[in-house]
Amino acid sequence: MGTSTPQAVEQRASKPDALELAVERAMVLAFAPLHKRVFGIAIGAACAVLLAAVTLMSIVRDPSDEIQLRILRAYFSGYSVSAAGVVIGAAWGFGVGFIAGWFLAFWRNFILATWLLYIRVRANLLQTREFLDHI
């Protein structure tokens, strides 16, 4: 076996290995903030498709049995269980879903940023805990 010079040992110790890089990339992705507008559009589109599909299924199954969806008239102006109601319901679903998704992303980003700030401040305080003892 060959002998290692101190410089070679130091170089190996300073280079992060593949596992550390993979973990670092995963952590950056996990703690990345959500884009509020894009998340709102995604949730809005999903709600629009869901409301339109439920209305279409109700029309196709039994047009006279619209009791389950009748309550939506109280919340969505102009909504009815009809072909026009599919479009109006999809528009309302997109609007409500967009607002809900935007606020969900906002609060997730806010809570995550606050939590990370708390962890960072706590770590800094623990590092400097004995600072005055060394003066």
Side-chain angles (χ1 to χ4, degrees):
M1 301 244 185
T3 59
S4 296
T5 64
Q7 291 88 7
V9 171
E10 186 177 319
Q11 283 179 348
R12 272 187 262 132
S14 67
K15 289 184 181 177
D17 62 343
L19 179 62
E20 287 178 6
L21 289 175
V23 168
E24 185 177 338
R25 281 190 213 117
M27 294 303 275
V28 167
L29 286 176
F31 293 111
L34 292 176
H35 195 282
K36 295 182 290 290
R37 188 177 341 126
V38 173
F39 195 72
I41 290 171
I43 298 297
C47 288
V49 168
L50 180 68
L51 194 54
V54 167
T55 304
L56 276 174
M57 283 183 7
S58 178
I59 292 170
V60 171
R61 278 185 73 198
D62 189 8
S64 64
D65 186 30
E66 61 181 63
I67 274 185
Q68 292 86 4
L69 296 179
R70 191 175 297 161
I71 189 76
L72 292 177
R73 291 181 193 169
Y75 297 107
F76 302 144
S77 177
Y79 177 79
S80 64
V81 182
S82 64
V86 171
V87 176
I88 293 170
W92 273 106
F94 181 81
V96 170
F98 176 84
I99 292 169
W102 191 93
F103 275 106
L104 183 66
F106 172 80
W107 282 110
R108 185 254 185 202
N109 292 343
F110 178 76
I111 290 169
L112 187 65
T114 305
W115 181 61
L116 290 175
L117 178 67
Y118 169 75
I119 289 173
R120 185 176 296 143
V121 167
R122 188 171 167 202
N124 286 339
L125 287 174
L126 287 175
Q127 282 182 341
T128 59
R129 179 182 240 169
E130 299 173 3
F131 174 73
L132 292 177
D133 293 342
H134 298 290
I135 293 180

